[in-house]
CSV table of all heavy atoms in Angstrom, one decimal:
chain,number,residue,atom,x,y,z
Y,225,MET,N,-6.3,6.6,7.0
Y,225,MET,CA,-6.2,5.4,6.3
Y,225,MET,C,-7.7,4.8,6.3
Y,225,MET,O,-8.4,4.7,7.3
Y,225,MET,CB,-5.3,4.4,6.9
Y,225,MET,CG,-5.3,3.2,6.1
Y,225,MET,SD,-4.0,2.0,6.9
Y,225,MET,CE,-2.6,2.6,6.4
Y,226,ARG,N,-8.1,4.4,5.1
Y,226,ARG,CA,-9.4,3.8,5.0
Y,226,ARG,C,-9.4,2.3,5.3
Y,226,ARG,O,-8.4,1.7,5.0
Y,226,ARG,CB,-10.0,4.0,3.6
Y,226,ARG,CG,-10.4,5.3,3.3
Y,226,ARG,CD,-11.0,5.4,1.9
Y,226,ARG,NE,-10.0,5.6,1.0
Y,226,ARG,CZ,-10.0,5.4,-0.3
Y,226,ARG,NH1,-11.2,4.9,-0.8
Y,226,ARG,NH2,-9.1,5.6,-1.1
Y,227,THR,N,-10.4,1.7,5.9
Y,227,THR,CA,-10.4,0.3,6.3
Y,227,THR,C,-11.5,-0.3,5.4
Y,227,THR,O,-12.5,0.3,5.0
Y,227,THR,CB,-10.7,0.1,7.7
Y,227,THR,OG1,-12.0,0.7,8.0
Y,227,THR,CG2,-9.6,0.6,8.6
Y,228,MET,N,-11.3,-1.6,5.1
Y,228,MET,CA,-12.3,-2.3,4.3
Y,228,MET,C,-13.4,-2.6,5.2
Y,228,MET,O,-13.3,-2.9,6.4
Y,228,MET,CB,-11.6,-3.5,3.8
Y,228,MET,CG,-10.5,-3.2,2.8
Y,228,MET,SD,-9.8,-4.6,1.8
Y,228,MET,CE,-10.1,-6.0,2.8
Y,229,PRO,N,-14.6,-2.5,4.6
Y,229,PRO,CA,-15.8,-2.8,5.4
Y,229,PRO,C,-15.8,-4.3,6.0
Y,229,PRO,O,-16.2,-4.5,7.0
Y,229,PRO,CB,-17.0,-2.7,4.4
Y,229,PRO,CG,-16.4,-2.4,3.2
Y,229,PRO,CD,-15.0,-2.2,3.1
Y,230,LYS,N,-15.2,-5.2,5.2
Y,230,LYS,CA,-15.1,-6.6,5.7
Y,230,LYS,C,-13.8,-7.1,5.0
Y,230,LYS,O,-13.5,-6.9,3.9
Y,230,LYS,CB,-16.3,-7.5,5.5
Y,230,LYS,CG,-16.4,-7.9,4.1
Y,230,LYS,CD,-17.6,-8.9,3.9
Y,230,LYS,CE,-17.5,-9.5,2.5
Y,230,LYS,NZ,-17.4,-10.8,2.3
Y,231,PRO,N,-13.0,-7.9,5.7
Y,231,PRO,CA,-11.9,-8.5,5.1
Y,231,PRO,C,-12.2,-9.4,4.0
Y,231,PRO,O,-13.3,-10.2,4.1
Y,231,PRO,CB,-11.2,-9.4,6.2
Y,231,PRO,CG,-11.8,-8.9,7.4
Y,231,PRO,CD,-13.2,-8.4,7.1
Y,232,LEU,N,-11.4,-9.5,2.9
Y,232,LEU,CA,-11.7,-10.3,1.8
Y,232,LEU,C,-11.3,-11.8,2.1
Y,232,LEU,O,-10.3,-12.0,2.9
Y,232,LEU,CB,-10.9,-9.7,0.5
Y,232,LEU,CG,-11.5,-8.5,0.0
Y,232,LEU,CD1,-10.5,-8.1,-1.2
Y,232,LEU,CD2,-12.8,-8.6,-0.5
Y,233,THR,N,-11.9,-12.7,1.6
Y,233,THR,CA,-11.6,-14.0,1.7
Y,233,THR,C,-11.0,-14.5,0.4
Y,233,THR,O,-11.1,-13.9,-0.6
Y,233,THR,CB,-12.8,-14.9,2.1
Y,233,THR,OG1,-13.6,-15.0,1.1
Y,233,THR,CG2,-13.5,-14.4,3.4
Y,234,ALA,N,-10.4,-15.8,0.4
Y,234,ALA,CA,-10.0,-16.4,-0.9
Y,234,ALA,C,-11.2,-16.6,-1.8
Y,234,ALA,O,-10.9,-16.4,-3.1
Y,234,ALA,CB,-9.3,-17.7,-0.6
Y,235,ASP,N,-12.3,-16.8,-1.3
Y,235,ASP,CA,-13.6,-17.0,-2.2
Y,235,ASP,C,-13.9,-15.6,-2.9
Y,235,ASP,O,-14.4,-15.7,-4.0
Y,235,ASP,CB,-14.7,-17.5,-1.4
Y,235,ASP,CG,-14.5,-18.9,-1.0
Y,235,ASP,OD1,-13.8,-19.7,-1.6
Y,235,ASP,OD2,-15.1,-19.3,0.0
Y,236,ASP,N,-13.6,-14.6,-2.2
Y,236,ASP,CA,-13.9,-13.3,-2.8
Y,236,ASP,C,-12.8,-13.0,-3.9
Y,236,ASP,O,-13.1,-12.3,-4.9
Y,236,ASP,CB,-13.7,-12.2,-1.8
Y,236,ASP,CG,-14.8,-12.2,-0.7
Y,236,ASP,OD1,-15.9,-12.8,-1.0
Y,236,ASP,OD2,-14.5,-11.9,0.5
Y,237,VAL,N,-11.6,-13.3,-3.7
Y,237,VAL,CA,-10.4,-13.0,-4.5
Y,237,VAL,C,-10.4,-13.9,-5.8
Y,237,VAL,O,-10.0,-13.5,-6.9
Y,237,VAL,CB,-9.1,-13.0,-3.8
Y,237,VAL,CG1,-7.9,-12.7,-4.8
Y,237,VAL,CG2,-9.2,-11.9,-2.7
Y,238,LEU,N,-10.7,-15.2,-5.6
Y,238,LEU,CA,-10.6,-16.2,-6.6
Y,238,LEU,C,-11.2,-15.8,-8.0
Y,238,LEU,O,-10.6,-15.9,-9.0
Y,238,LEU,CB,-11.0,-17.5,-6.2
Y,238,LEU,CG,-10.7,-18.7,-7.1
Y,238,LEU,CD1,-9.2,-18.8,-7.4
Y,238,LEU,CD2,-11.2,-20.1,-6.6
Y,239,PRO,N,-12.5,-15.3,-7.9
Y,239,PRO,CA,-13.1,-14.8,-9.3
Y,239,PRO,C,-12.3,-13.7,-10.0
Y,239,PRO,O,-12.3,-13.7,-11.1
Y,239,PRO,CB,-14.5,-14.4,-8.9
Y,239,PRO,CG,-14.8,-15.1,-7.5
Y,239,PRO,CD,-13.4,-15.2,-6.8
Y,240,LEU,N,-11.7,-12.8,-9.2
Y,240,LEU,CA,-11.0,-11.7,-9.7
Y,240,LEU,C,-9.7,-12.3,-10.5
Y,240,LEU,O,-9.3,-11.8,-11.5
Y,240,LEU,CB,-10.6,-10.7,-8.7
Y,240,LEU,CG,-11.7,-10.0,-7.9
Y,240,LEU,CD1,-11.2,-9.2,-6.8
Y,240,LEU,CD2,-12.6,-9.2,-8.9
Y,241,VAL,N,-9.0,-13.2,-9.7
Y,241,VAL,CA,-7.8,-13.8,-10.3
Y,241,VAL,C,-8.2,-14.7,-11.6
Y,241,VAL,O,-7.5,-14.6,-12.6
Y,241,VAL,CB,-7.1,-14.7,-9.3
Y,241,VAL,CG1,-5.9,-15.5,-9.9
Y,241,VAL,CG2,-6.6,-13.8,-8.1
Y,242,ALA,N,-9.3,-15.3,-11.5
Y,242,ALA,CA,-9.8,-16.1,-12.7
Y,242,ALA,C,-9.9,-15.2,-13.9
Y,242,ALA,O,-9.9,-15.7,-15.0
Y,242,ALA,CB,-11.1,-16.8,-12.4
Y,243,CYS,N,-10.3,-14.0,-13.8
Y,243,CYS,CA,-10.5,-13.1,-14.8
Y,243,CYS,C,-9.3,-12.5,-15.4
Y,243,CYS,O,-9.3,-11.9,-16.5
Y,243,CYS,CB,-11.4,-11.8,-14.4
Y,243,CYS,SG,-13.0,-12.3,-14.0
Y,244,LEU,N,-8.1,-12.7,-14.8
Y,244,LEU,CA,-6.9,-12.1,-15.3
Y,244,LEU,C,-6.4,-12.9,-16.6
Y,244,LEU,O,-6.7,-14.1,-16.7
Y,244,LEU,CB,-5.8,-12.3,-14.2
Y,244,LEU,CG,-6.0,-11.5,-13.0
Y,244,LEU,CD1,-4.9,-11.7,-12.0
Y,244,LEU,CD2,-6.0,-10.0,-13.3
Y,245,THR,N,-5.7,-12.2,-17.3
Y,245,THR,CA,-5.1,-12.9,-18.5
Y,245,THR,C,-3.9,-13.8,-18.0
Y,245,THR,O,-3.4,-13.5,-16.9
Y,245,THR,CB,-4.5,-11.9,-19.6
Y,245,THR,OG1,-3.5,-11.2,-19.0
Y,245,THR,CG2,-5.6,-11.0,-20.0
Y,246,PRO,N,-3.4,-14.8,-18.7
Y,246,PRO,CA,-2.3,-15.5,-18.4
Y,246,PRO,C,-1.0,-14.7,-18.0
Y,246,PRO,O,-0.3,-14.8,-17.0
Y,246,PRO,CB,-2.0,-16.4,-19.5
Y,246,PRO,CG,-3.3,-16.6,-20.2
Y,246,PRO,CD,-4.0,-15.3,-20.1
Y,247,ARG,N,-0.8,-13.6,-18.8
Y,247,ARG,CA,0.3,-12.7,-18.6
Y,247,ARG,C,0.1,-12.0,-17.2
Y,247,ARG,O,1.0,-11.8,-16.4
Y,247,ARG,CB,0.4,-11.7,-19.7
Y,247,ARG,CG,1.6,-10.8,-19.5
Y,247,ARG,CD,1.7,-9.9,-20.7
Y,247,ARG,NE,2.8,-9.0,-20.6
Y,247,ARG,CZ,3.3,-8.2,-21.6
Y,247,ARG,NH1,2.5,-8.0,-22.7
Y,247,ARG,NH2,4.3,-7.5,-21.4
Y,248,GLU,N,-1.1,-11.5,-16.9
Y,248,GLU,CA,-1.4,-10.8,-15.6
Y,248,GLU,C,-1.3,-11.7,-14.5
Y,248,GLU,O,-0.9,-11.4,-13.4
Y,248,GLU,CB,-2.8,-10.2,-15.7
Y,248,GLU,CG,-3.0,-9.1,-16.6
Y,248,GLU,CD,-4.4,-8.6,-16.9
Y,248,GLU,OE1,-5.3,-9.5,-16.7
Y,248,GLU,OE2,-4.6,-7.4,-17.0
Y,249,ARG,N,-1.7,-13.1,-14.7
Y,249,ARG,CA,-1.4,-14.1,-13.6
Y,249,ARG,C,0.0,-14.3,-13.3
Y,249,ARG,O,0.3,-14.4,-12.1
Y,249,ARG,CB,-2.2,-15.3,-14.0
Y,249,ARG,CG,-3.6,-15.4,-13.9
Y,249,ARG,CD,-4.2,-16.8,-14.3
Y,249,ARG,NE,-5.6,-16.7,-14.4
Y,249,ARG,CZ,-6.4,-17.6,-14.7
Y,249,ARG,NH1,-5.9,-18.8,-14.7
Y,249,ARG,NH2,-7.7,-17.5,-14.9
Y,250,VAL,N,0.8,-14.3,-14.3
Y,250,VAL,CA,2.3,-14.5,-14.1
Y,250,VAL,C,2.7,-13.3,-13.3
Y,250,VAL,O,3.6,-13.4,-12.4
Y,250,VAL,CB,3.1,-14.6,-15.5
Y,250,VAL,CG1,4.5,-14.6,-15.2
Y,250,VAL,CG2,2.6,-16.0,-16.0
Y,251,ARG,N,2.4,-12.1,-13.7
Y,251,ARG,CA,2.9,-10.9,-13.0
Y,251,ARG,C,2.4,-10.8,-11.6
Y,251,ARG,O,3.2,-10.5,-10.7
Y,251,ARG,CB,2.2,-9.7,-13.7
Y,251,ARG,CG,2.7,-8.4,-13.2
Y,251,ARG,CD,2.4,-7.1,-13.9
Y,251,ARG,NE,2.7,-5.9,-13.2
Y,251,ARG,CZ,2.0,-5.0,-12.7
Y,251,ARG,NH1,0.6,-5.3,-12.7
Y,251,ARG,NH2,2.4,-4.0,-12.1
Y,252,LEU,N,1.2,-11.3,-11.3
Y,252,LEU,CA,0.5,-11.3,-9.9
Y,252,LEU,C,1.5,-12.3,-9.1
Y,252,LEU,O,1.8,-12.0,-8.0
Y,252,LEU,CB,-0.9,-11.7,-9.9
Y,252,LEU,CG,-1.6,-11.8,-8.6
Y,252,LEU,CD1,-1.4,-10.5,-7.8
Y,252,LEU,CD2,-2.9,-12.4,-8.7
Y,253,LEU,N,1.7,-13.5,-9.6
Y,253,LEU,CA,2.5,-14.5,-9.0
Y,253,LEU,C,3.9,-14.0,-8.7
Y,253,LEU,O,4.3,-14.2,-7.6
Y,253,LEU,CB,2.5,-15.7,-9.8
Y,253,LEU,CG,3.3,-16.9,-9.1
Y,253,LEU,CD1,2.6,-17.3,-7.9
Y,253,LEU,CD2,3.3,-18.1,-10.1
Y,254,ARG,N,4.5,-13.3,-9.6
Y,254,ARG,CA,5.8,-12.7,-9.3
Y,254,ARG,C,5.8,-11.7,-8.3
Y,254,ARG,O,6.7,-11.6,-7.4
Y,254,ARG,CB,6.4,-12.1,-10.5
Y,254,ARG,CG,6.9,-13.1,-11.6
Y,254,ARG,CD,7.5,-12.4,-12.7
Y,254,ARG,NE,8.0,-13.5,-13.6
Y,254,ARG,CZ,8.0,-13.3,-15.0
Y,254,ARG,NH1,7.6,-12.1,-15.5
Y,254,ARG,NH2,8.4,-14.3,-15.8
Y,255,LEU,N,4.7,-10.9,-8.2
Y,255,LEU,CA,4.6,-9.9,-7.2
Y,255,LEU,C,4.5,-10.5,-5.8
Y,255,LEU,O,4.9,-10.1,-4.8
Y,255,LEU,CB,3.4,-8.9,-7.5
Y,255,LEU,CG,3.7,-8.0,-8.7
Y,255,LEU,CD1,2.4,-7.2,-9.0
Y,255,LEU,CD2,4.8,-7.0,-8.3
Y,256,LEU,N,3.6,-11.6,-5.8
Y,256,LEU,CA,3.3,-12.2,-4.5
Y,256,LEU,C,4.5,-13.0,-4.0
Y,256,LEU,O,4.6,-13.1,-2.7
Y,256,LEU,CB,2.2,-13.3,-4.7
Y,256,LEU,CG,0.8,-12.6,-4.9
Y,256,LEU,CD1,-0.2,-13.7,-5.3
Y,256,LEU,CD2,0.3,-11.8,-3.8
Y,257,THR,N,5.4,-13.5,-4.9
Y,257,THR,CA,6.5,-14.3,-4.4
Y,257,THR,C,7.8,-13.7,-4.4
Y,257,THR,O,8.9,-14.3,-3.9
Y,257,THR,CB,6.5,-15.6,-5.3
Y,257,THR,OG1,6.8,-15.2,-6.6
Y,257,THR,CG2,5.3,-16.5,-5.2
Y,258,SER,N,7.9,-12.3,-4.7
Y,258,SER,CA,9.1,-11.7,-4.7
Y,258,SER,C,9.6,-11.4,-3.3
Y,258,SER,O,8.8,-11.3,-2.4
Y,258,SER,CB,8.9,-10.3,-5.5
Y,258,SER,OG,8.1,-9.4,-4.7
Y,259,PRO,N,11.0,-11.5,-3.1
Y,259,PRO,CA,11.5,-11.4,-1.7
Y,259,PRO,C,11.2,-9.9,-1.2
Y,259,PRO,O,11.1,-9.0,-2.0
Y,259,PRO,CB,13.0,-11.6,-1.9
Y,259,PRO,CG,13.3,-11.5,-3.3
Y,259,PRO,CD,11.9,-11.8,-4.1
Y,260,PRO,N,11.1,-9.7,0.1
Y,260,PRO,CA,11.0,-8.3,0.6
Y,260,PRO,C,12.1,-7.4,0.1
Y,260,PRO,O,13.3,-7.7,0.1
Y,260,PRO,CB,11.1,-8.5,2.2
Y,260,PRO,CG,10.9,-10.1,2.3
Y,260,PRO,CD,11.2,-10.7,1.1
Y,261,GLY,N,11.7,-6.2,-0.2
Y,261,GLY,CA,12.7,-5.2,-0.7
Y,261,GLY,C,13.0,-5.3,-2.1
Y,261,GLY,O,13.8,-4.6,-2.6
Y,262,ALA,N,12.3,-6.2,-2.9
Y,262,ALA,CA,12.5,-6.4,-4.3
Y,262,ALA,C,11.6,-5.6,-5.1
Y,262,ALA,O,11.4,-5.9,-6.3
Y,262,ALA,CB,12.4,-7.9,-4.6
Y,263,ASP,N,11.0,-4.5,-4.5
Y,263,ASP,CA,9.9,-3.7,-5.3
Y,263,ASP,C,10.6,-2.4,-5.7
Y,263,ASP,O,9.9,-1.6,-6.2
Y,263,ASP,CB,8.8,-3.4,-4.4
Y,263,ASP,CG,9.2,-2.8,-3.0
Y,263,ASP,OD1,10.5,-2.7,-2.8
Y,263,ASP,OD2,8.3,-2.5,-2.2
Y,264,ALA,N,11.9,-2.3,-5.9
Y,264,ALA,CA,12.6,-1.1,-6.6
Y,264,ALA,C,12.2,-0.9,-7.9
Y,264,ALA,O,12.0,0.3,-8.3
Y,264,ALA,CB,14.1,-1.3,-6.3
Y,265,SER,N,12.0,-1.9,-8.7
Y,265,SER,CA,11.5,-1.6,-10.0
Y,265,SER,C,10.2,-1.2,-10.2
Y,265,SER,O,9.8,-0.3,-11.1
Y,265,SER,CB,11.8,-3.1,-10.8
Y,265,SER,OG,10.8,-4.0,-10.3
Y,266,VAL,N,9.3,-1.5,-9.2
Y,266,VAL,CA,7.9,-1.0,-9.2
Y,266,VAL,C,8.1,0.5,-9.0
Y,266,VAL,O,7.4,1.4,-9.6
Y,266,VAL,CB,7.1,-1.6,-8.1
Y,266,VAL,CG1,5.7,-1.0,-8.0
Y,266,VAL,CG2,6.9,-3.1,-8.4
Y,267,TYR,N,8.8,1.0,-7.9
Y,267,TYR,CA,9.0,2.3,-7.7
Y,267,TYR,C,9.7,3.2,-8.8
Y,267,TYR,O,9.4,4.4,-9.0
Y,267,TYR,CB,9.7,2.6,-6.4
Y,267,TYR,CG,8.8,2.3,-5.1
Y,267,TYR,CD1,9.1,1.2,-4.4
Y,267,TYR,CD2,7.9,3.2,-4.8
Y,267,TYR,CE1,8.2,1.0,-3.3
Y,267,TYR,CE2,7.1,3.0,-3.7
Y,267,TYR,CZ,7.2,1.9,-2.9
Y,267,TYR,OH,6.4,1.6,-1.9
Y,268,ARG,N,10.5,2.5,-9.5
Y,268,ARG,CA,11.1,3.2,-10.7
Y,268,ARG,C,10.0,3.4,-11.8
Y,268,ARG,O,10.0,4.5,-12.4
Y,268,ARG,CB,12.3,2.4,-11.3
Y,268,ARG,CG,13.5,2.7,-10.5
Y,268,ARG,CD,14.8,2.2,-11.2
Y,268,ARG,NE,14.8,0.7,-11.5
Y,268,ARG,CZ,15.2,-0.2,-10.6
Y,268,ARG,NH1,15.6,0.2,-9.4
Y,268,ARG,NH2,15.1,-1.5,-10.8
Y,269,SER,N,9.2,2.4,-12.0
Y,269,SER,CA,8.3,2.4,-13.1
Y,269,SER,C,7.0,3.4,-12.6
Y,269,SER,O,6.4,4.0,-13.5
Y,269,SER,CB,7.7,1.1,-13.5
Y,269,SER,OG,7.0,0.4,-12.4
Y,270,VAL,N,6.6,3.4,-11.4
Y,270,VAL,CA,5.6,4.3,-11.0
Y,270,VAL,C,6.1,4.9,-9.7
Y,270,VAL,O,5.8,4.4,-8.6
Y,270,VAL,CB,4.3,3.4,-10.7
Y,270,VAL,CG1,3.1,4.3,-10.3
Y,270,VAL,CG2,4.0,2.5,-11.8
Y,271,PRO,N,6.7,6.1,-9.8
Y,271,PRO,CA,7.2,6.8,-8.7
Y,271,PRO,C,6.1,7.2,-7.8
Y,271,PRO,O,5.0,7.5,-8.2
Y,271,PRO,CB,8.0,7.9,-9.2
Y,271,PRO,CG,7.6,8.1,-10.5
Y,271,PRO,CD,7.1,6.8,-11.1
Y,272,PRO,N,6.4,7.4,-6.6
Y,272,PRO,CA,5.4,8.0,-5.6
Y,272,PRO,C,4.8,9.3,-6.0
Y,272,PRO,O,5.6,10.1,-6.6
Y,272,PRO,CB,6.0,8.1,-4.1
Y,272,PRO,CG,7.4,7.7,-4.4
Y,272,PRO,CD,7.6,7.3,-5.8
Y,273,ALA,N,3.6,9.6,-5.8
Y,273,ALA,CA,3.0,10.8,-6.0
Y,273,ALA,C,3.6,12.0,-5.2
Y,273,ALA,O,4.1,11.6,-4.3
Y,273,ALA,CB,1.5,10.8,-6.0
Y,274,HIS,N,3.5,13.2,-5.7
Y,274,HIS,CA,4.1,14.3,-4.9
Y,274,HIS,C,3.7,14.4,-3.5
Y,274,HIS,O,4.5,14.6,-2.6
Y,274,HIS,CB,3.9,15.7,-5.7
Y,274,HIS,CG,4.3,16.8,-5.0
Y,274,HIS,ND1,5.6,17.1,-4.8
Y,274,HIS,CD2,3.6,17.9,-4.3
Y,274,HIS,CE1,5.8,18.3,-4.1
Y,274,HIS,NE2,4.5,18.6,-3.8
Y,275,ASP,N,2.4,14.1,-3.3
Y,275,ASP,CA,1.8,14.2,-2.0
Y,275,ASP,C,1.8,12.9,-1.2
Y,275,ASP,O,1.2,12.8,-0.1
Y,275,ASP,CB,0.5,15.0,-1.9
Y,275,ASP,CG,-0.5,14.2,-2.7
Y,275,ASP,OD1,-0.2,13.3,-3.5
Y,275,ASP,OD2,-1.6,14.6,-2.6
Y,276,GLU,N,2.3,11.9,-1.7
Y,276,GLU,CA,2.1,10.6,-1.1
Y,276,GLU,C,2.8,10.4,0.2
Y,276,GLU,O,2.3,9.8,1.2
Y,276,GLU,CB,2.6,9.4,-2.0
Y,276,GLU,CG,2.3,8.0,-1.5
Y,276,GLU,CD,2.7,6.9,-2.6
Y,276,GLU,OE1,3.1,7.4,-3.7
Y,276,GLU,OE2,2.6,5.7,-2.2
Y,277,PHE,N,3.9,11.0,0.4
Y,277,PHE,CA,4.7,10.9,1.7
Y,277,PHE,C,5.0,12.3,2.2
Y,277,PHE,O,5.7,12.4,3.2
Y,277,PHE,CB,6.0,10.2,1.4
Y,277,PHE,CG,5.9,8.7,1.0
Y,277,PHE,CD1,6.1,8.4,-0.2
Y,277,PHE,CD2,5.5,7.8,2.0
Y,277,PHE,CE1,6.1,7.0,-0.6
Y,277,PHE,CE2,5.3,6.5,1.6
Y,277,PHE,CZ,5.7,6.1,0.3
Y,278,SER,N,4.4,13.4,1.8
Y,278,SER,CA,4.6,14.7,2.3
Y,278,SER,C,3.6,15.1,3.3
Y,278,SER,O,2.5,14.5,3.3
Y,278,SER,CB,4.6,15.6,1.1
Y,278,SER,OG,3.5,15.7,0.5
Y,279,THR,N,3.9,16.0,4.1
Y,279,THR,CA,3.0,16.6,5.0
Y,279,THR,C,3.3,18.1,5.2
Y,279,THR,O,4.4,18.5,5.0
Y,279,THR,CB,3.1,15.8,6.4
Y,279,THR,OG1,2.3,16.5,7.3
Y,279,THR,CG2,4.5,15.9,7.0
Y,280,ASP,N,2.3,18.8,5.6
Y,280,ASP,CA,2.4,20.3,5.8
Y,280,ASP,C,2.9,20.5,7.2
Y,280,ASP,O,3.3,21.6,7.5
Y,280,ASP,CB,1.0,20.9,5.6
Y,280,ASP,CG,0.6,21.0,4.1
Y,280,ASP,OD1,1.5,20.8,3.3
Y,280,ASP,OD2,-0.7,21.0,3.9
Y,281,GLU,N,2.7,19.5,8.1
Y,281,GLU,CA,3.2,19.7,9.5
Y,281,GLU,C,4.6,19.3,9.7
Y,281,GLU,O,5.2,18.6,8.9
Y,281,GLU,CB,2.2,18.9,10.3
Y,281,GLU,CG,0.7,19.3,10.3
Y,281,GLU,CD,0.0,18.5,11.3
Y,281,GLU,OE1,0.6,17.8,12.2
Y,281,GLU,OE2,-1.2,18.5,11.2
Y,282,GLU,N,5.1,19.7,10.8
Y,282,GLU,CA,6.4,19.3,11.3
Y,282,GLU,C,6.4,17.8,11.5
Y,282,GLU,O,5.4,17.4,12.1
Y,282,GLU,CB,6.8,20.1,12.5
Y,282,GLU,CG,8.1,19.7,13.2
Y,282,GLU,CD,9.4,20.3,12.4
Y,282,GLU,OE1,9.1,21.3,11.6
Y,282,GLU,OE2,10.3,19.7,12.5
Y,283,PRO,N,7.4,17.1,11.1
Y,283,PRO,CA,7.3,15.7,11.2
Y,283,PRO,C,7.0,15.1,12.6
Y,283,PRO,O,6.1,14.1,12.8
Y,283,PRO,CB,8.7,15.2,10.8
Y,283,PRO,CG,9.2,16.2,10.0
Y,283,PRO,CD,8.6,17.5,10.5
Y,284,LEU,N,7.4,15.8,13.7
Y,284,LEU,CA,7.2,15.2,15.0
Y,284,LEU,C,6.1,16.1,15.8
Y,284,LEU,O,5.9,15.9,16.9
Y,284,LEU,CB,8.4,15.3,15.8
Y,284,LEU,CG,9.5,14.3,15.3
Y,284,LEU,CD1,10.7,14.5,16.2
Y,284,LEU,CD2,8.9,12.8,15.3
Y,285,ALA,N,5.5,17.1,15.0
Y,285,ALA,CA,4.5,17.9,15.7
Y,285,ALA,C,3.3,17.2,16.3
Y,285,ALA,O,2.9,17.6,17.3
Y,285,ALA,CB,4.0,19.0,14.7
Y,286,TRP,N,2.9,16.2,15.6
Y,286,TRP,CA,1.7,15.4,16.1
Y,286,TRP,C,2.1,14.7,17.4
Y,286,TRP,O,1.2,14.5,18.3
Y,286,TRP,CB,1.3,14.4,15.1
Y,286,TRP,CG,2.3,13.3,14.8
Y,286,TRP,CD1,3.3,13.2,14.0
Y,286,TRP,CD2,2.4,12.0,15.5
Y,286,TRP,NE1,3.9,12.1,14.0
Y,286,TRP,CE2,3.5,11.4,15.0
Y,286,TRP,CE3,1.7,11.5,16.6
Y,286,TRP,CZ2,3.9,10.1,15.5
Y,286,TRP,CZ3,2.1,10.3,17.1
Y,286,TRP,CH2,3.2,9.5,16.6
Y,287,ASP,N,3.3,14.5,17.8
Y,287,ASP,CA,3.8,13.9,19.1
Y,287,ASP,C,3.5,14.9,20.2
Y,287,ASP,O,3.2,14.5,21.3
Y,287,ASP,CB,5.1,13.5,19.0
Y,287,ASP,CG,5.3,12.0,18.6
Y,287,ASP,OD1,4.3,11.2,18.7
Y,287,ASP,OD2,6.5,11.6,18.3
Y,288,ALA,N,3.6,16.2,19.9
Y,288,ALA,CA,3.6,17.1,20.9
Y,288,ALA,C,2.1,17.5,21.2
Y,288,ALA,O,1.9,18.1,22.4
Y,288,ALA,CB,4.4,18.3,20.6
Y,289,GLU,N,1.2,17.3,20.4
Y,289,GLU,CA,-0.1,17.7,20.5
Y,289,GLU,C,-0.9,16.9,21.7
Y,289,GLU,O,-0.6,15.8,21.7
Y,289,GLU,CB,-0.9,17.6,19.3
Y,289,GLU,CG,-0.5,18.5,18.1
Y,289,GLU,CD,-1.2,18.3,16.8
Y,289,GLU,OE1,-2.2,17.4,16.8
Y,289,GLU,OE2,-0.8,18.8,15.8
Y,290,GLY,N,-1.6,17.6,22.5
Y,290,GLY,CA,-2.4,17.1,23.6
Y,290,GLY,C,-1.6,16.8,24.8
Y,290,GLY,O,-2.2,16.3,25.8
Y,291,TRP,N,-0.3,17.2,24.9
Y,291,TRP,CA,0.5,17.0,26.1
Y,291,TRP,C,0.6,18.2,27.0
Y,291,TRP,O,1.4,18.2,28.0
Y,291,TRP,CB,1.9,16.5,25.7
Y,291,TRP,CG,1.9,15.1,25.1
Y,291,TRP,CD1,1.8,14.7,23.8
Y,291,TRP,CD2,1.9,13.9,25.9
Y,291,TRP,NE1,1.7,13.4,23.7
Y,291,TRP,CE2,1.9,12.8,25.0
Y,291,TRP,CE3,2.0,13.6,27.3
Y,291,TRP,CZ2,1.9,11.5,25.4
Y,291,TRP,CZ3,2.0,12.2,27.6
Y,291,TRP,CH2,2.0,11.2,26.6
Y,292,GLU,N,0.0,19.4,26.6
Y,292,GLU,CA,0.2,20.6,27.4
Y,292,GLU,C,-0.3,20.4,28.8
Y,292,GLU,O,0.3,21.1,29.6
Y,292,GLU,CB,-0.8,21.7,26.6
Y,292,GLU,CG,-0.2,22.0,25.2
Y,292,GLU,CD,-0.8,21.2,24.2
Y,292,GLU,OE1,-1.8,20.3,24.5
Y,292,GLU,OE2,-0.3,21.1,23.1
Y,293,ASP,N,-1.3,19.7,29.1
Y,293,ASP,CA,-1.9,19.6,30.5
Y,293,ASP,C,-1.2,18.5,31.3
Y,293,ASP,O,-1.6,18.4,32.5
Y,293,ASP,CB,-3.4,19.4,30.4
Y,293,ASP,CG,-4.1,20.6,29.7
Y,293,ASP,OD1,-3.6,21.8,29.8
Y,293,ASP,OD2,-5.1,20.3,29.1
Y,294,VAL,N,-0.5,17.7,30.7
Y,294,VAL,CA,0.3,16.6,31.4
Y,294,VAL,C,1.5,17.2,32.2
Y,294,VAL,O,2.2,17.9,31.6
Y,294,VAL,CB,0.7,15.6,30.5
Y,294,VAL,CG1,1.4,14.4,31.2
Y,294,VAL,CG2,-0.6,15.0,29.8
Y,295,GLY,N,1.7,16.8,33.4
Y,295,GLY,CA,2.9,17.3,34.0
Y,295,GLY,C,2.6,17.3,35.4
Y,295,GLY,O,3.3,17.4,36.3
């Protein structure tokens, strides 16, 4: 996971919001104020990419790595 070089502040975000059209602002406000779990419509309109949640490894394989010498 990538981390941001520095956390954004409201002063950083405000100019970006100011550039939005009124329709985009309404959409942003709805996204920000929607109750948890209300994002099903987003997943229907933009489903996850094929490799977004997949892995080549066994799901719990990473848990087992590095424990060979413990005991």
Side-chain angles (χ1 to χ4, degrees):
M225 179 181 287
R226 287 185 273 160
T227 59
M228 294 188 334
K230 73 172 189 122
L232 294 176
T233 65
D235 290 332
D236 297 328
V237 175
L238 189 58
L240 300 173
V241 174
C243 293
L244 296 175
T245 65
R247 184 176 181 178
E248 290 170 327
R249 287 184 191 184
V250 169
R251 181 171 178 254
L252 177 62
L253 183 59
R254 284 185 182 146
L255 290 170
L256 291 172
T257 59
S258 64
D263 52 359
S265 63
V266 174
Y267 282 107
R268 278 193 299 276
S269 64
V270 183
H274 175 67
D275 62 344
E276 187 170 354
F277 294 107
S278 65
T279 179
D280 291 336
E281 296 182 18
E282 179 71 26
L284 298 177
W286 65 270
D287 263 346
E289 293 176 9
W291 292 91
E292 294 84 11
D293 298 331
V294 176

